Amino acid sequence: MGIQGLLPLLKSIQKPTELKKYKGETLGVDGYGWLHRGAISCAIELAEGKPTRKYVHYVMNRVRMMQHFGVNPYIVFDGDFLPSKAGEEAHRAKRREESKASGLALLKAGKPSLAHRELQKAIDITPEMARAVIEELKKVGVPYIVAPYEADPQLVYLEREGIINGILSEDSDLLVFGAKRLITKLEQHGACIEINRRDFGACREISLTGWSDEQFRHMAILHGCDYLEGIKALGLKTAYRMLRKHKTPEKVVKMLQFDGKYRIPSDYLQLFHQAELTFLYQRVYCPKAKALVSFNTPPSDIDTGAMAFIGGLVEPEMAQRIANGCVNPMTKEDIVVAGQSPDARKRRASSIVGPRPQAPRLGTQTRAAVPTPTKPIDSYFNGNSRIPLGNMDPNCFSVDAQRTASMTDNGQRPIVFPLPRPYIEDEALPPSRLSRPYTNQPLNSRSQTLRRRTEPISNLLLDDGTTLGSTSRRETVNITRDAGRQSSSRLTARSPKKARLCNDVGPESVNNNERSKFFPGPVKKESKRRNSYLMSDDSVEEAMRELPDIDSWHSAKSAKGIMVFKESPEKDGLSISKDDDEHDVRNTASAPMTGKLPSATPLRSAIGRFTFNQSQQSSRTTPSSTISSSSTSSTPMSSMTSSTMPSTNKSTPATPLMTPLQRLGSQALNRVKGPATPSFTAPRPAKRISKGRKSLDNLPVNASFVPLPPVDLEEVESLHQTGGSEDMIIPDSESEEADNGLVGQENMGKVARPRTVDLSRFLYS
DNA sequence: CGGGCAGTGAAAT
DNA sequence: TCACTGCCCG
């Protein structure tokens, strides 16, 4: 929970982007968001203490989505509560208990939907749940870390140390901590928004030019943050204005007191100071030093030891184990992995130690050199032939370079180099252009980054192995072993939940039968799903759909089998296929080609917009589109593809060869329109085009998607779009997307071309 | 009287 | 998250 209203305030500097633009980079992920979202899907199960498998699956889908966009996730989990937050957390825990009770009551009363709503409020992400996810992360070789306290400063710390290149989170607090690159509002299809610290000066809502991190922080605290309740009736803008006028928080507070309009506690200044210190010096884990450090190195006149509110110091050894996820960061007890016998765990741990190096994504040369046992990954994907995609991902620069080179031969497009991007990008260049020159970081820093990245991981791995072993040994004996060490009220509060999680796992599973009535063959579904190996966006959707509460998609899904959504890791091209294995294979093969296409600069810019819009649309319209696809056969996918990859490669079996030709044609068209076209106008024309297409007409049409006949609508829309801001475009594009969906099985190339033409037309008009 | 800001409730996810 | 309401200021 960040600063309410902060994001709207910074709206003008939010740059719409796509996840794939971060290909090759490592993004720190605020694990809590995903954990929580996953948990929402399984709220009822969790409340009943059932196994958390579904929810782990959800989170892992999300991880895989990132990987398939070529992004290396680095998951950061929350640790213990900060003392300053403990009080509030206690209240929350109470509320959760209440919600849980009422939710379960509703469930018994036969009102599942209401119960689910209520139980959502009861969700509590426990260390055990995080640990369950960690187990999966280990299998796949995704780096992670459990922060000693809050994930936010931990993420920013990692960013500052160069271990990650950006932060993926919904929490605006990260900006207060000084995050340089915050990626937010990630959607299922990879659309997201980047907020770059460097753009602050360009903020239109409020003028942050020349504002230091300190001033920004003061503003946030004045408004009210996690560490200090804000002054009543004092909003962000007011805080901003006051700070602007009076510079220092002390003066601001004085003025506010003098004003009399605001009621300010007498000790507010002191609390303010404390909150700021918490922002500044709260403890994080340094993977390099393998110990806790202050988020910022405190000046000599500040004694962090005397500041209880920033969190207690933890011994390095314990800190490491916490970071590895072996130990409950709150109770400091070993975490027992639910549903796993000690023996099994031991086995796993030992096996993990070996494969560890397997994680090629970590991207160090060393790593790449290490023979990659794909076994674990394969197992995860359940025998899908496609699995290699993950491995194929060129986290290392060398791999990408090779790929790019090969691509260059065929295509005329500029190659995209997956080099880590410095925060400093050329603003002048449209984000959509891959071709834009990257500023290279100094070699030193880069190598450093790599080294650091690897180091922590390898260490973690080793530690995990040993720790796990030890854990398994001890687990039966001592749950309470370290309990005395850090006893607090919240600990006791938590313990029951923990117990529930661990104990209930076995018996709970039996209860699934209830659900089966509503969802025919839940087990079947899962197995099905796995076989089909869902990737990226759709996979996430699937996961969501699987949730018991949602009925609508169920029918579609069951009827049709699963469709696999593939994207070539590299570019915008998405190849889509149905769940057939053959298709998958084919797609994989075609993937490289697809990758090439997007790199064409002109196309890219023009198309990029489409992609963004569509992706958003698709996410919005997901249910409907999905259904239609099932009925018509892969309709949605094709639409996606077309939107995403103008150039064209189609996943459609017959068309792969066509791709290059089509690509060229479309490129030519696009070039003409690309430069001329203002970004804003582009989407509209596309809509028109789609409407006009005969091909569209031929295709089976879903009534809801039928293009609107009247031209008036378009005009109206265009009028509305005055600003031309990208946000505004989105709504319009919906209809557009729908149309595309209808087009469905048409060749990508065809679709792309017509669009292009229309666009140009529109421009001229 | 209109605009800007803050708070509230409903709806959607 | 959005849309509405109320409050305050010019």
Side-chain angles (χ1 to χ4, degrees):
Chain A
M1 335 215 57
I3 310 296
Q4 262 65 12
L6 182 55
L7 288 181
L9 201 61
L10 301 176
K11 188 153 190 181
S12 64
I13 61 169
Q14 296 179 8
K15 291 183 295 188
T17 335
E18 289 174 322
L19 197 54
K20 58 193 169 205
K21 303 249 173 75
Y22 302 94
K23 179 179 169 62
E25 299 189 63
T26 300
L27 295 185
V29 175
D30 182 1
Y32 181 83
W34 288 2
L35 291 175
H36 194 262
R37 284 184 60 175
I40 284 179
S41 331
C42 319
I44 293 181
E45 287 95 328
L46 290 173
E48 293 174 343
K50 292 186 179 175
T52 57
R53 216 170 99 227
K54 253 187 198 171
Y55 127 88
V56 170
H57 185 85
Y58 176 97
V59 178
M60 290 308 294
N61 265 332
R62 207 80 187 167
V63 168
R64 270 179 286 156
M65 170 190 164
M66 286 187 72
Q67 293 182 330
H68 289 289
F69 277 112
V71 177
N72 307 319
Y74 193 120
I75 320 288
V76 176
F77 298 95
D78 277 299
D80 199 358
F81 298 115
L82 239 32
S84 53
K85 275 181 160 182
E88 191 197 347
E89 192 50 37
H91 287 121
R92 284 184 190 170
K94 220 179 245 169
R95 276 206 304 271
R96 280 196 291 258
E97 286 302 325
E98 293 169 3
S99 293
K100 184 181 167 186
S102 63
L104 290 177
L106 283 171
L107 197 60
K108 281 182 185 172
K111 299 178 179 178
S113 66
L114 284 178
H116 191 261
R117 282 178 68 97
E118 194 62 25
L119 289 176
Q120 282 181 14
K121 301 175 193 167
I123 290 173
D124 181 22
I125 306 297
T126 63
E128 287 75 17
M129 292 162 71
R131 174 59 185 270
V133 171
I134 286 174
E135 290 301 313
E136 292 302 319
L137 293 177
K138 284 187 201 164
K139 287 189 207 164
V140 189
V142 169
Y144 67 89
I145 203 171
V146 180
Y149 297 99
E150 302 213 295
D152 296 12
Q154 182 70 52
L155 281 160
V156 176
Y157 181 81
L158 293 175
E159 186 189 34
R160 220 169 40 198
E161 292 294 305
I163 295 169
I164 58 180
N165 310 108
I167 300 172
L168 184 53
S169 170
E170 308 297 315
D171 194 342
S172 54
D173 268 357
L174 285 158
L175 294 170
V176 183
F177 277 107
K180 296 185 183 67
R181 261 173 127 206
L182 177 63
I183 292 114
T184 355
K185 305 196 188 303
L186 175 64
E187 299 189 4
Q188 299 161 348
H189 298 282
C192 57
I193 285 175
E194 173 176 329
I195 301 175
N196 200 313
R197 184 72 236 270
R198 142 185 82 82
D199 295 333
F200 272 20
C203 183
R204 281 195 297 262
E205 286 81 0
I206 57 178
S207 172
L208 290 174
T209 25
W211 269 45
S212 62
D213 284 354
E214 185 187 33
Q215 287 169 302
F216 191 77
R217 189 170 52 242
H218 288 162
M219 178 181 76
I221 301 175
L222 269 179
H223 163 263
C225 61
D226 283 359
Y227 308 135
L228 177 58
E229 195 178 340
I231 298 168
K232 175 84 173 144
L234 193 144
L236 257 185
K237 291 215 174 178
T238 318
Y240 165 78
R241 263 187 282 109
M242 297 298 289
L243 267 175
R244 204 140 213 246
K245 204 185 254 173
H246 304 106
K247 298 299 176 197
T248 73
E250 288 79 11
K251 284 180 185 167
V252 170
V253 171
K254 224 175 243 170
M255 291 308 296
L256 290 175
Q257 284 170 333
F258 186 75
D259 190 325
K261 257 193 310 192
Y262 303 93
R263 208 175 57 77
I264 301 175
S266 55
D267 57 347
Y268 182 82
L269 256 186
Q270 185 196 338
L271 295 175
F272 183 98
H273 190 55
Q274 229 175 67
E276 182 169 25
L277 290 175
T278 309
F279 270 117
L280 286 174
Y281 305 117
Q282 124 177 226
R283 300 188 195 283
V284 297
Y285 179 77
C286 176
K288 199 178 170 189
K290 299 190 182 86
L292 289 199
V293 299
S294 284
F295 174 56
N296 287 291
T297 52
S300 54
D301 58 332
I302 288 189
D303 177 19
T304 54
M307 302 187 290
F309 48 86
I310 64 168
L313 193 50
V314 178
E315 293 306 311
E317 191 205 348
M318 178 58 73
Q320 254 184 78
R321 302 180 62 214
I322 290 174
N324 296 340
C326 303
V327 166
N328 182 322
M330 293 177 266
T331 63
K332 308 295 188 289
E333 298 170 7
D334 291 346
I335 296 179
V336 178
V337 178
Q340 241 178 349
S341 70
D343 293 344
R345 257 164 67 212
K346 236 186 221 165
R347 238 183 292 132
R348 198 194 257 168
S350 58
S351 69
I352 287 172
V353 175
R356 261 335 152 90
Q358 99 189 31
R361 329 193 140 272
L362 294 184
T364 56
Q365 297 175 352
T366 326
R367 286 239 174 255
V370 177
T372 55
T374 52
K375 180 184 175 184
I377 295 178
D378 287 357
S379 62
Y380 185 77
F381 294 127
N382 281 342
N384 239 317
S385 53
R386 285 188 74 246
I387 309 156
L389 255 182
N391 297 339
M392 287 170 54
D393 277 355
N395 32 1
C396 299
F397 315 98
S398 59
V399 176
D400 276 349
Q402 286 182 358
R403 201 197 267 175
T404 345
S406 63
M407 297 172 58
T408 319
D409 297 343
N410 295 340
Q412 310 126 343
R413 324 162 183 99
I415 306 168
V416 180
F417 294 93
L419 293 178
R421 245 183 256 169
Y423 302 122
I424 331 134
E425 294 178 356
D426 282 347
E427 291 188 3
L429 292 177
S432 57
R433 293 198 171 191
L434 288 182
S435 60
R436 82 173 168 309
Y438 293 90
T439 335
N440 290 335
Q441 292 180 352
L443 291 179
N444 295 340
S445 68
R446 196 165 111 200
S447 62
Q448 269 188 3
T449 306
L450 292 178
R451 217 191 314 138
R452 281 179 190 162
R453 230 190 258 160
T454 27
E455 278 186 10
I457 295 168
S458 61
N459 291 335
L460 289 178
L461 298 178
L462 290 176
D463 289 346
D464 285 349
T466 50
T467 315
L468 283 177
S470 61
T471 303
S472 59
R473 263 180 263 129
R474 291 183 216 154
E475 82 180 48
T476 41
V477 181
N478 93 40
I479 287 182
T480 57
R481 171 171 154 254
D482 290 339
R485 202 165 175 181
Q486 278 206 359
S487 61
S488 68
S489 59
R490 65 177 176 271
L491 292 181
T492 52
R494 271 188 159 317
S495 50
K497 288 176 190 170
K498 179 168 115 191
R500 161 182 46 104
L501 284 175
C502 303
N503 299 336
D504 293 350
V505 173
E508 302 289 353
S509 60
V510 178
N511 293 340
N512 286 338
N513 297 338
E514 279 184 33
R515 226 154 254 141
S516 60
K517 329 178 206 173
F518 300 99
F519 311 94
V523 177
K524 273 187 186 177
K525 286 178 183 178
E526 267 203 359
S527 62
K528 229 186 196 176
R529 203 213 278 153
R530 284 198 179 181
N531 291 338
S532 59
Y533 178 64
L534 301 175
M535 298 182 82
S536 74
D537 342 308
D538 281 356
S539 64
V540 175
E541 286 182 14
E542 285 279 9
M544 293 302 293
R545 287 176 200 159
E546 280 199 4
L547 302 179
D549 291 344
I550 307 168
D551 306 7
S552 60
W553 38 267
H554 236 321
S555 58
K557 176 184 174 182
S558 60
K560 179 180 186 174
I562 300 165
M563 35 174 152
V564 177
F565 202 145
K566 276 183 188 171
E567 357 177 18
S568 55
E570 179 143 355
K571 324 15 206 30
D572 354 44
L574 295 175
S575 55
I576 301 164
S577 67
K578 298 176 184 181
D579 55 347
D580 302 349
D581 290 345
E582 292 182 2
H583 287 285
D584 288 352
V585 174
R586 196 185 304 135
N587 289 340
T588 312
S590 63
M593 292 191 61
T594 321
K596 294 176 183 178
L597 298 179
S599 48
T601 311
L603 285 178
R604 195 156 170 48
S605 60
I607 292 165
R609 314 231 160 236
F610 278 49
T611 308
F612 177 71
N613 293 340
Q614 283 197 354
S615 61
Q616 281 208 349
Q617 287 180 356
S618 62
S619 64
R620 288 186 184 179
T621 57
T622 302
S624 60
S625 66
T626 309
I627 293 173
S628 67
S629 70
S630 61
S631 61
T632 57
S633 82
S634 86
T635 309
M637 303 186 70
S638 62
S639 69
M640 288 291 303
T641 314
S642 65
S643 65
T644 328
M645 321 185 2
S647 35
T648 70
N649 192 359
K650 226 194 190 169
S651 57
T652 318
T655 51
L657 294 178
M658 294 191 59
T659 309
L661 292 177
Q662 290 184 349
R663 195 198 309 155
L664 292 176
S666 61
Q667 274 188 355
L669 291 177
N670 286 334
R671 276 179 196 164
V672 175
K673 80 176 176 185
T677 314
S679 56
F680 311 109
T681 53
R684 252 194 272 148
K687 196 205 272 179
R688 264 193 198 173
I689 295 166
S690 59
K691 289 181 183 177
R693 296 298 158 202
K694 291 179 182 179
S695 63
L696 292 178
D697 296 343
N698 294 339
L699 297 175
V701 175
N702 188 332
S704 61
F705 291 135
V706 176
L708 304 174
V711 179
D712 299 345
L713 285 181
E714 291 183 4
E715 290 188 3
V716 173
E717 288 178 356
S718 64
L719 291 178
H720 285 296
Q721 286 185 354
T722 56
S725 71
E726 306 205 354
D727 299 338
M728 318 232 17
I729 296 175
I730 298 171
D732 298 342
S733 58
E734 247 189 67
S735 58
E736 181 185 295
E737 193 182 15
D739 293 347
N740 294 339
L742 293 177
V743 175
Q745 298 172 348
E746 294 293 320
N747 288 345
M748 296 296 298
K750 281 185 183 181
V751 176
R753 280 187 195 174
R755 280 191 183 180
T756 311
V757 174
D758 287 340
L759 287 175
S760 61
R761 236 195 259 159
F762 182 83
L763 292 175
Y764 294 118
S765 64

